[in-house]
Structure formats: C-alpha cells, structure tokens
Amino acid sequence: MEKRRIVLLGATGYTGQRVLRELLARGEKPTLAGRSRTRMLTLADRFEADLPVAEVDVTSTADLTRLVEPGDVVVSTIGPFMRLGTAAVTAAARAGAHYFDSTGEGTFARRVLLELDAVAAVRGATLVPAFGYDYVPGNLAGALALTRAGERARHVETGYFITRAGHGDELRYRSTMRDAYALTTGGTRQTLVASAAEAGFAYRSPRPWAAARVVDERVGKRVRTFHYGGVKRTAMTVPGTEHLGLPEVFPQLESVEVGLGWFGRWTRPVQIAATIQAPLLRSSKVRAALERWSGRLPGALREPDSDGRSLVIAVARDGQGRPLATTALTGPDPYEMTGSLLAWGAATPRIRMPSSSPVHTARSPPSVSTRSGSVPPRPECTKSTARRRAVDDG
C-alpha cells in the first residue's frame, strides 16, 4: 500500500522537532511546511535527512489549500492554536486530508469538532486535535479508571502533572512553580496565558435534576485535589477532550473534570488570580496585550530542563463522590510524549478514532505506562456522537 504524504507544520519549533525525529525513526519522510525555506533545509541537514520543503504562510488558509491534497496527513504544532492554528485544520478538512495536532487548548479542539469535523468526514478524512500529552493520557487514564470502577461510576476527574527524574520515586515528587517554568517552553507558557482568556467548558449538569451535558465554564473555576502515592496534589479545572469523549463511552457519567496541576502549592493562588482577571480578559485589547507580554517573559527562548516527566492521575467516583478506582499513568516529558504520539498517529495506516477521545483504538498509544493495572477500554464511540457532545451546550 502506498504511503500517505505527511505534511508537518511547525517542524522548526521545539515540539515540531520532536515530531520530526520520531517520524524519521519510523522511516517516514515528511514534507516540511513553513515560512522559512532556509530554516527548514537547515533542520533537515541537522537530522541528516533529504526532505521536501514547502515555503508557505502556515496561517493562510489559501496557501495551505494549494499545498494539501486529498489523503495527505497534516500534523500541526503551530500555536497558540486559537490564534494561529485555524488555517491548517480548515485546509485539511476542505481537502479531505487527515489531521492531527498538538494543541492543549480545549476550546480549539471543540471548535474543530463543531465547525470542521463534518466537512472532513464527507471527504473521507479524520480530524484529531489534541493528540499529545494534551489529552491522550487523560482520556486513557479516565477510561481505565472507569472500566475498573464499573457501572457504579458517575464522576471522573483527571489531573495533569509534571515531575522530574532522578529525585526518587516520581510518584512522590512534588512539583513547584519553578518546575512549571523550567520544564516548559516559552511557547507553552504563552499558550497558557492565551487559553486563560478563552471561554472554557465542562461536562456536568447545568442545574439540579437536569441531564449532564457540555456547558460553558471559565478556565480555573474549580480546584480539585488528587491523592496518590502518599502525595496530595491540586489542579485547577481546564477544558479538555475528556469532556467530549468519555461520556460517549461511559454514558452513565454525571460529570467529567480535567485539571492542570503544574503549579504545585501555587495552584490556588493562580486560580484566584485567574478568577480576578476574568472580567478584564473580556476586552480584546487586554487579551492581546497580555499575550504579547507573555511572549516577552524572561527565558522565552530557553529549552526546558531535560529531566522532566509526565504524570496523569484519574479518579472514578460513585454518585456520592466516593472514590471507586484510581489510575496513574507515567511517561516522558510532555514534549517527547507529544512527538511520539503525533508521529505514531500520522504514520499508522488507516487509523480510525473519534476525534474527541483519542484513546479508543485497537492498541494503546506509545510512551505511556500505567501504575495501577491495565484494563482494555470499551469499544470506540462514533464520531457523530462525539460531535454532538461538542455542540450540546444549547
């Protein structure tokens, strides 16, 4: 069977280089697409690879529409996605090309499902946003915990944390605010600031006795506590694809919560600050100024420390909130995990999965290991029902 062409956007960036390295290790020769032909050729030479390059404006739908062809696989690492990523997924959907990206912006993933997934589907293509550290391990951990909990499970919470290697048992490592800086890139921090300015969402009942559904909810509205490995960790709520996919596979769920726990003991102060600044962020001028400022923070160009690791915890609870099952997944640092997952998805022939819940495949994704047993997730849900979750906020 002839290989599909893989078009990689953002290869010269930190995450993009990790995707490229993994693709080359799999014997792929992706087409590099970006604004600087010189930088892309230099990158290919550094990897000792003879790769085709396409000089295009990756934020231009017209440019990318001329580049992308039916059956291609587009892999995008261009963020912040709400500002820069729309052109790539739009061009892929219209061309009938398969699409994966590294977004951690749940609002962007939801927009893809709402506005473009049907466009791609009629052309035989699949759009899979957030196919990396955000939000594959959380979907997988949530599915495993819910499967272990059984039919009594009514609620599930997933928390994303970062740890360090070389400090004893990583499950007992307590991350700090410094880790949130030292283990991430300037681009990630800029995306975090941009995401805080976007309207978020959650999966819960909007009022007593009403059926649970996807509802609008600001980022950081709640703080959740996770107890695992003898360590208490806190995380503030964020929108993720778990809200969209897990209820389709586990329809008895009454709530799904996703938490970001990178800030250690500073989680609560960060959540309070996000609450205070929320009214200001309704102004487009304030949002733009804040995003510009975040791009000029000290260390914006430094690479993350090399000893980072990923930890994702999921807890399934009954109707009274009592824990029934907990699953913890560990893996490499978020960028290495994302590179491995995106390369695996792009290089896997005929991979089929619901866009909103990327874990329901015939085999588990690479780069993730479980600390609490392995239970096969339930059969995958359909893309039509996943789209319904994305739009069902009336």
Side-chain angles (χ1 to χ4, degrees):
M1 182 173 61
E2 183 179 351
K3 281 190 174 183
R4 298 175 292 183
R5 183 178 69 151
I6 298 173
V7 180
L8 177 58
L9 310 180
T12 58
Y14 189 79
T15 301
Q17 290 182 44
R18 275 136 191 82
V19 179
L20 177 57
R21 182 183 63 195
E22 294 290 335
L23 286 171
L24 293 174
R26 291 175 174 271
E28 302 290 341
K29 289 193 172 184
T31 296
L32 309 185
R35 291 178 175 175
S36 174
R37 179 180 181 85
T38 300
R39 289 183 64 193
M40 290 185 290
L41 289 174
T42 300
L43 178 65
D45 287 343
R46 181 153 64 85
F47 279 95
E48 300 180 344
D50 182 16
L51 301 176
V53 301
E55 192 171 30
V56 296
D57 180 354
V58 294
T59 64
S60 167
T61 302
D63 277 13
L64 292 173
T65 298
R66 288 190 288 270
L67 171 66
V68 177
E69 300 175 354
D72 284 350
V73 181
V74 176
V75 180
S76 177
T77 63
I78 304 295
F81 282 81
M82 286 293 288
R83 182 165 63 88
L84 304 175
T86 301
V89 67
T90 300
R94 292 176 179 174
H98 303 284
Y99 172 88
F100 295 84
D101 71 36
S102 62
T103 187
E105 301 160 60
T107 303
F108 178 80
R110 187 184 181 197
R111 176 180 289 183
V112 169
L113 294 175
L114 174 62
E115 299 179 3
L116 294 168
D117 191 62
V119 176
V122 299
R123 293 165 173 78
T126 303
L127 307 182
V128 190
F131 197 73
Y133 169 82
D134 316 280
Y135 287 95
V136 171
N139 276 282
L140 178 57
L144 291 171
L146 288 166
T147 301
R148 293 179 63 215
E151 293 300 324
R152 289 193 297 150
R154 294 294 181 270
H155 310 276
V156 65
E157 303 158 4
T158 61
Y160 287 79
F161 306 93
I162 47 179
T163 66
R164 286 182 181 267
H167 295 266
D169 186 352
E170 62 192 81
L171 289 177
R172 300 185 64 83
Y173 182 83
R174 296 177 183 269
S175 61
T176 65
M177 178 64 89
R178 182 185 181 279
D179 292 329
Y181 170 82
L183 297 177
T184 62
T185 65
T188 295
R189 296 190 292 275
Q190 187 175 14
T191 296
L192 283 174
V193 172
S195 298
E198 300 292 342
F201 57 88
Y203 183 82
R204 64 178 62 259
S205 172
R207 55 190 174 276
W209 312 116
R213 58 184 174 85
V214 177
V215 296
D216 291 332
E217 182 176 288
R218 64 174 173 79
V219 175
K221 185 171 183 178
R222 296 174 178 81
V223 170
R224 289 291 177 255
T225 301
F226 294 78
H227 297 269
Y228 195 82
V231 177
K232 182 175 73 172
R233 298 176 173 88
T234 54
M236 69 177 194
T237 54
V238 295
T241 58
E242 291 93 333
H243 298 115
L244 308 177
L246 288 177
E248 295 300 336
V249 188
F250 303 91
Q252 78 273 19
L253 283 174
E254 298 174 1
S255 73
V256 177
E257 297 212 333
V258 181
L260 180 65
W262 289 4
F263 310 113
R265 292 185 176 92
W266 284 87
T267 298
R268 183 72 68 177
V270 169
Q271 186 253 356
I272 293 172
T275 301
I276 293 172
Q277 72 178 5
L280 295 175
L281 293 177
R282 296 189 186 120
S283 165
S284 59
K285 291 183 178 179
V286 172
R287 290 200 303 270
L290 188 61
E291 189 171 334
R292 288 194 300 272
W293 170 80
S294 68
R296 299 189 181 103
L297 289 172
L301 300 180
R302 71 178 293 278
E303 291 192 355
D305 293 350
S306 60
D307 60 346
R309 295 277 296 169
S310 301
L311 170 64
V312 178
I313 301 171
V315 182
R317 300 181 182 274
D318 66 14
Q320 285 70 48
R322 293 173 298 216
L324 299 173
T326 300
T327 295
L329 302 180
T330 60
D333 76 80
Y335 304 97
E336 183 178 343
M337 181 185 293
T338 296
S340 178
L341 286 167
L342 285 171
W344 174 67
T348 302
R350 305 294 296 175
I351 190 167
R352 301 297 299 175
M353 63 190 69
S355 311
S356 64
S357 186
V359 303
H360 305 297
T361 55
R363 52 196 172 121
S364 296
S367 301
V368 178
S369 60
T370 177
R371 293 296 186 98
S372 54
S374 177
V375 181
R378 298 185 181 189
E380 73 175 51
C381 59
T382 63
K383 293 188 68 180
S384 60
T385 52
R387 284 196 299 272
R388 186 168 64 248
R389 290 293 181 195
V391 304
D392 188 21
D393 67 345

